[in-house]
């Protein structure tokens, strides 16, 4: 199964780019983040016309996640599944050909010690609980999306300057490690070691 992920930063604005990429690379599954569109405005027909199913969880102007797949998307579930946690359209889960796909748009955090950074830490803690309740450790599962954390010095350029900032902070590392220790494997770093290979971009760039 060929699986890809992309932060669209508005699916309607990037729709031609996404459709062209799908036609060229033909993935089985594409996880989208930051779709920034309400559900009734999601461009469903455009994906169906090129042979893809789609499930989505969005809101106006902010956040939003979607899963696009060649095969039917089974039992899609939205949100962190906790009534006490605010719903901000950042996570969805579904099964595709027996594989659990978990798509997340982790909060950025904006600036250390801000309310948004504290919210990011709480969100990560709640996602760890979500894994316990919603994902089976015994079946095939893929967690992907925009994680908004670069957890090792090899994941950023000039790590000594980045350490302690948003996206490369020890408090984020601790919570991400707790999630990974649940049973996830970093597939990128399993096959690609060393510096100079980045999946993270500073949000100011």
């Amino acid at each position: 199964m060929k699986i890809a992920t992309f932060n669209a930063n508005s699916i309607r604005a990037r729709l031609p780019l996404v459709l062209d990429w799908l036609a060229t690379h033909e993935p089985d599954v594409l996880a989208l983040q930051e779709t920034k569109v309400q559900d009734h405005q999601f461009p469903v027909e455009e994906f169906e016309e090129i042979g893809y199913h789609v499930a989505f969880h969005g809101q106006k102007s902010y956040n939003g996640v979607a899963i696009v797949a060649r095969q039917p998307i089974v039992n899609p579930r939205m949100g962190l599944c906790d009534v006490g946690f605010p719903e901000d359209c950042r996570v969805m889960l579904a099964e595709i050909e027996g594989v659990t796909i978990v798509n997340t748009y982790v909060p950025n955090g904006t600036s250390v010690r801000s309310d948004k950074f504290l919210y990011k830490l709480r969100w990560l803690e709640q996602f760890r609980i979500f894994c316990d309740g919603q994902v089976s450790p015994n079946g095939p599962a893929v967690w992907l999306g925009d994680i908004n954390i670069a957890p090792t010095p090899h994941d950023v350029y000039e790590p000594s300057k980045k350490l302690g900032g948003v996206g490369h902070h020890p408090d984020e590392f601790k919570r991400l490690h707790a999630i990974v220790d649940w049973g996830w494997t970093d597939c990128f770093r399993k096959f690609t070691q060393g510096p100079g290979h980045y999946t993270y971009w500073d949000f100011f760039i």
Side-chain angles (χ1 to χ4, degrees):
M1 182 180 287
K2 185 176 182 179
I3 304 173
T5 182
F6 177 56
N7 182 315
N9 191 21
S10 176
I11 185 57
R12 289 187 291 179
R14 306 289 184 273
L15 185 60
L17 185 154
V18 172
L19 295 177
D20 286 348
W21 190 90
L22 286 170
T24 300
H25 297 280
E26 300 183 333
D28 298 292
V29 180
L30 174 64
L32 295 166
Q33 305 85 41
E34 210 170 352
T35 54
K36 294 185 176 181
V37 63
Q38 297 178 85
D39 287 349
H40 71 276
Q41 296 176 311
F42 195 95
V44 177
E45 293 182 0
E46 286 85 344
F47 286 99
E48 292 180 342
E49 286 175 357
I50 61 170
Y52 281 91
H53 303 266
V54 62
F56 39 86
H57 180 42
Q59 63 191 86
K60 183 179 180 179
S61 303
Y62 296 96
N63 308 331
V65 286
I67 295 174
V68 179
R70 287 194 171 277
Q71 299 301 319
I73 299 170
V74 178
N75 193 22
R77 285 151 280 170
M78 318 302 180
L80 284 170
C81 303
D82 185 282
V83 295
F85 206 87
E87 180 50 70
D88 55 3
C89 299
R90 291 181 177 273
V91 58
M92 65 182 300
L93 174 152
E95 283 78 43
I96 300 169
E97 292 194 299
V99 178
T100 298
I101 302 294
V102 183
N103 180 17
T104 57
Y105 174 45
V106 174
N108 179 280
T110 306
S111 63
V112 177
R113 291 181 295 276
S114 69
D115 290 343
K116 290 184 177 181
F117 186 75
L118 295 176
Y119 176 73
K120 179 179 187 177
L121 300 182
R122 291 195 300 110
W123 195 98
L124 291 164
E125 292 166 358
Q126 188 61 39
F127 182 73
R128 172 61 181 80
I129 296 171
F130 170 92
C131 292
D132 278 333
Q134 300 297 319
V135 186
S136 171
N138 301 316
V142 178
W143 168 36
L144 70 170
D146 188 340
I147 310 302
N148 267 322
I149 302 171
T152 77
H154 287 165
D155 295 319
V156 294
Y157 183 70
E158 296 184 317
S160 61
K161 294 182 179 180
K162 298 287 187 183
L163 184 61
V166 172
H168 198 54
H169 192 284
D171 289 344
E172 296 170 311
F173 303 161
K174 179 180 177 180
R175 286 155 178 83
L176 180 60
H177 290 159
I179 295 168
V180 172
D181 287 347
W182 174 87
W184 302 108
T185 297
D186 185 338
C187 293
F188 179 79
R189 284 303 180 187
K190 181 177 180 179
F191 297 104
T192 307
Q193 289 81 37
H197 306 281
Y198 306 121
T199 63
Y200 170 88
W201 299 93
D202 191 306
F203 72 101
F204 289 113
I205 294 176

